[in-house]
Amino acid sequence: MRPRHAVPLALLLALPVTACTTGPTLENQGEVTAPPGDSKSLTIGSAGFTESDLLAQMYALLLDRAGYSTKIISVTNREIYEPALESGQIDVVPEYAATFADWLNAKKNGADAAPVGSPDLATTMKALRTLAAPRGLTVLDAGRAVDQNAFAVTAAYARKHHLKSLSDLGKSGLPVRLAAGDECVQRPYCAPGLKKTYGIDITAVDPKGVGTTQAKQAVQSGQDQMVLTTTTDATLDDFGLVLLADDKHLQNADYLVPVVNRSRAGSQGVRTALGRLNTVLTTADLARMNEQVDSWRRLPEDVARAYLRSKKLIPGN
């Protein structure tokens, strides 16, 4: 099987937008009435981090299996790859439902627009599809895998205080110094939400970043008591950390969803090929694959192919 290397960003930017524009222009947004397209040559976008690379590789392998010819392009900036998706320079990208809904909402209604993403997947998907459709984008169904903000403590701390959930931590009354990004002080799903929803006594936010090694080490050493990370963090065990369940659903529904350019990749063939991943991929699966790339230094393409073969979605041993 041929190796699949990311196409340089410079090549994407060099493409003539006018020659590729197949969706409705932003000046003429409205009901999309043209039939979904079914181009047999598709470009898949990756946002350039491990998880996005893995998803892009799996999308490519599944589409190859369904008879499409694919290439992957790495574009780390959503401000660049989303317009390229609208124009047809990119045909498919893996996205996160609530985050992408809020991003499109801010793009349409301004940075101060009230968020439309929510902890409820159905509500979030309805808002996302409403925002995406006038831009010529189709949001395919979400599967089971979700990459949300999550909060971790040391396993020893959890055992000592009998903690399994964020509610348990709130009921304990323990003072908590939180290692997170500096924006956590204001974001409703971080420190303010932990206080309001769970009653957790956040005494300070230690600005060490989201899920960084420095942040995890601060919790491991006892300098901080909890760290903001994600549900697909592959390195928690390395630091002796465990996630506390978000049992009151503070976090938004950031389920993984393929987003496609309707006029090039909106066909049932693409939907069916990518939908096969929804039947198997879980949050835990994705975390294990992230670990194989980030900790074991395996190539995303090799990890993606091995996973799909193990689930009988593509042929091979």
Side-chain angles (χ1 to χ4, degrees):
M1 193 169 292
R2 60 186 169 84
R4 194 186 312 281
H5 301 294
V7 177
L9 172 60
L11 180 57
L12 173 69
L13 297 179
L15 293 175
V17 174
T18 54
C20 299
T21 301
T22 50
T25 66
L26 299 189
E27 291 77 14
N28 296 300
Q29 289 180 10
E31 187 68 24
V32 178
T33 56
D38 193 27
S39 172
K40 294 302 180 182
S41 180
L42 299 174
T43 298
I44 300 165
S46 164
F49 57 93
T50 296
E51 189 167 288
S52 189
D53 289 343
L54 283 164
L55 290 162
Q57 294 288 351
M58 286 190 283
Y59 288 4
L61 290 163
L62 289 168
L63 288 167
D64 284 352
R65 173 67 172 157
Y68 295 88
S69 174
T70 62
K71 64 181 177 182
I72 292 174
I73 189 165
S74 184
V75 187
T76 58
N77 190 317
R78 188 180 275 118
E79 282 76 12
I80 295 176
Y81 76 68
E82 190 278 331
L85 183 63
E86 289 186 28
S87 72
Q89 293 169 294
I90 294 175
D91 303 305
V92 185
V93 295
E95 264 293 356
Y96 300 89
T99 295
F100 197 46
D102 284 339
W103 193 88
L104 289 179
N105 186 46
K107 185 175 181 179
K108 177 183 178 182
N109 298 312
D112 295 331
V116 295
S118 81
D120 182 73
L121 177 60
T123 300
T124 298
M125 288 293 287
K126 182 178 179 180
L128 174 55
R129 284 171 165 156
T130 298
L131 288 161
R135 295 183 176 274
L137 306 180
T138 296
V139 182
L140 305 187
D141 291 340
R144 291 181 288 167
V146 57
D147 188 349
Q148 296 168 303
N149 285 345
F151 297 91
V153 298
T154 65
Y157 184 86
R159 284 194 301 270
K160 179 179 178 180
H161 299 290
H162 309 289
L163 306 176
K164 292 185 177 180
S165 67
L166 291 171
S167 286
D168 292 339
L169 182 57
K171 292 173 184 176
S172 74
L174 292 165
V176 174
R177 181 176 162 94
L178 176 62
D182 54 8
E183 69 278 2
C184 179
V185 174
Q186 296 180 327
R187 289 199 172 172
Y189 309 114
C190 202
L194 291 173
K195 294 177 182 178
K196 180 178 179 180
T197 302
Y198 289 105
I200 297 173
D201 181 15
I202 303 295
T203 60
V205 172
D206 187 5
K208 286 185 164 60
V210 179
T212 64
T213 296
Q214 185 184 21
K216 292 171 190 172
Q217 288 174 338
V219 176
Q220 184 182 40
S221 70
Q223 176 184 343
D224 298 333
Q225 287 71 53
M226 190 162 68
V227 59
L228 170 62
T229 182
T230 68
T231 52
T232 59
D233 190 322
T235 63
L236 293 178
D237 287 347
D238 297 342
F239 297 90
L241 303 177
V242 294
L243 294 179
L244 295 181
D246 179 22
D247 52 310
K248 292 185 178 178
H249 306 292
L250 172 64
Q251 301 305 320
N252 277 345
D254 259 331
Y255 284 77
L256 297 169
V257 291
V259 182
V260 304
N261 177 289
R262 174 186 166 89
S263 63
R264 287 185 48 80
S267 69
Q268 186 60 48
V270 171
R271 186 184 297 271
T272 299
L274 297 182
R276 298 176 72 201
L277 193 59
N278 290 350
T279 64
V280 298
L281 184 65
T282 66
T283 304
D285 290 343
L286 201 50
R288 283 191 288 268
M289 285 190 279
N290 284 337
E291 181 182 24
Q292 290 177 51
V293 176
D294 291 337
S295 298
W296 305 359
R297 302 305 179 191
R298 294 186 63 192
L299 293 175
E301 181 179 5
D302 294 340
V303 174
R305 181 179 292 110
Y307 177 77
L308 294 182
R309 284 176 173 171
S310 75
K311 299 300 181 179
K312 312 299 183 185
L313 294 184
I314 60 173
N317 298 327

